[in-house]
């Protein structure tokens, strides 16, 4: 009985909990791509600078300098695609565009 419960727990972890924690397919494909900070900077100017300032210095949205110390890449992706922190909208960039944005955010030290 105890063994059965243990086996069920292991199965649950292997099949459900761990894959979910690892990451969603979108983040995974984004993180496999090499981003271009230059393209990311262009995307930032068009989509993000209105709130975060032309050089990410903060305006309506917070200052993004040093943001990579506060949020890891998966959290940054979630921030951009989730729409969970209004007024920041929910963006749906292609994985390559998201990789470029990440590369740009990494330059904001
Ligand atoms: C309409 C305004 C608006 C736009 C446009 C916007 N943001 Fe935001 N952003 C915010 C606000 C407000 C917050 C703070 C949300 C909170 O935590 O409550 C935020 C938070 C963030 C954070 C987290 C900052 C931290 O210190 O943890 C990141 C990273 C970020 N935005 C990146 C982006 C990127 C990249 C874009 C463009 C693709 C973008 N934002 C576009 C308003 C905006």
């Amino acid at each position: 009985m105890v063994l059965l419960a243990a086996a069920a727990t292991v199965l649950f972890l292997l099949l459900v909990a761990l894959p979910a924690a690892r990451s969603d397919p979108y983040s995974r494909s984004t993180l496999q791509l090499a981003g271009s900070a230059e393209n990311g900077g262009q995307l930032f100017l068009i989509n993000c600078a209105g709130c975060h300032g032309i050089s990410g210095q903060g305006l309506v949205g917070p200052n993004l300098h040093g943001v990579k110390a506060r949020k890891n890449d998966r959290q940054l992706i979630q921030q951009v695609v989730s729409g969970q922190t209004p007024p920041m909208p929910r963006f749906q960039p292609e994985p390559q565009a998201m990789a470029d944005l990440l590369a740009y955010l990494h330059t904001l030290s």
Side-chain angles (χ1 to χ4, degrees):
M1 200 55 213
V2 174
L3 255 184
L4 204 64
T9 307
V10 168
L11 258 185
F12 173 78
L13 283 175
L14 281 178
L15 297 177
V16 183
L18 289 178
R22 223 177 285 134
S23 86
D24 59 295
Y26 176 79
S27 299
R28 222 178 307 134
S29 44
T30 297
L31 291 171
Q32 278 165 0
L33 296 165
S36 149
E38 202 185 329
N39 291 346
Q42 304 277 329
L43 292 170
F44 186 87
L45 281 181
I46 298 166
N47 298 287
C48 323
C51 286
H52 288 283
I54 203 143
S55 61
Q57 80 278 17
L59 211 61
V60 181
N63 184 335
L64 295 180
H65 287 263
V67 71
K68 68 179 177 200
R70 294 193 292 277
K71 286 186 156 63
N72 65 31
D73 284 353
R74 288 178 203 286
Q75 292 171 318
L76 288 173
I77 294 172
Q78 279 313 306
Q79 174 73 44
V80 172
V81 303
S82 73
Q84 277 166 1
T85 57
M88 181 161 155
R90 173 170 186 248
F91 294 92
Q92 297 181 289
E94 292 295 316
Q96 183 62 59
M98 186 65 237
D100 293 348
L101 273 172
L102 274 181
Y104 175 73
L105 290 175
H106 290 168
T107 67
L108 300 176
S109 48

